[in-house]
Amino acid sequence: MELDYIIPKVRETFGRLEFGKMIEEIREPSRNNNGRVASRRFSVFSDIQKADNIEIILPAAAGVKASIKQDSPIDLVNPRVIAVGYRVENQSFVKYECYADDIVKKDLAK
């Protein structure tokens, strides 16, 4: 069985989401460390997942989200969760990364 990704039920998994900030730009490798921006990592706040901020990775085409103010209600466009395995010495671990096509301001009229 091959597991590509998990599509979360956003309301049940994350609850109400609020925008945090852009954490970093992830660049393509290059000789002078000045490669093209491939994606950006953002932090968002959840009223259900309270232990840690949630990190969302967006493609570079989604932009820097400068127009969204901190703590503004947001929606994720096509979110998906990917399990990433890694090893530390003789132990294996799994971390989960959440990707989305975009982050948009929540339409409070709905």
Side-chain angles (χ1 to χ4, degrees), residues 6-7 11 17 19 24 26-27 39 41 47 52 60 68-69 71-72 78 87 89 93 110:
I6 301 164
I7 299 174
R11 184 169 302 277
L17 291 172
F19 189 75
E24 68 174 331
I26 301 166
R27 296 185 174 269
S39 57
R41 185 182 307 265
D47 64 348
D52 294 307
I68 303 176
K69 295 182 180 179
D71 299 326
S72 296
N78 296 325
R87 186 176 107 184
E89 297 182 359
F93 300 92
K110 289 184 178 178

Side-chain angles (χ1 to χ4, degrees), residues 41-80:
R41 185 182 307 265
F42 295 85
S43 69
V44 300
F45 311 120
S46 164
D47 64 348
I48 292 179
Q49 306 291 332
K50 295 180 180 178
D52 294 307
N53 296 343
I54 299 168
E55 293 184 359
I56 308 293
I57 301 168
L58 301 181
V64 296
K65 305 300 165 199
S67 64
I68 303 176
K69 295 182 180 179
Q70 189 170 13
D71 299 326
S72 296
I74 59 164
D75 281 324
L76 301 176
V77 177
N78 296 325
R80 56 213 173 268

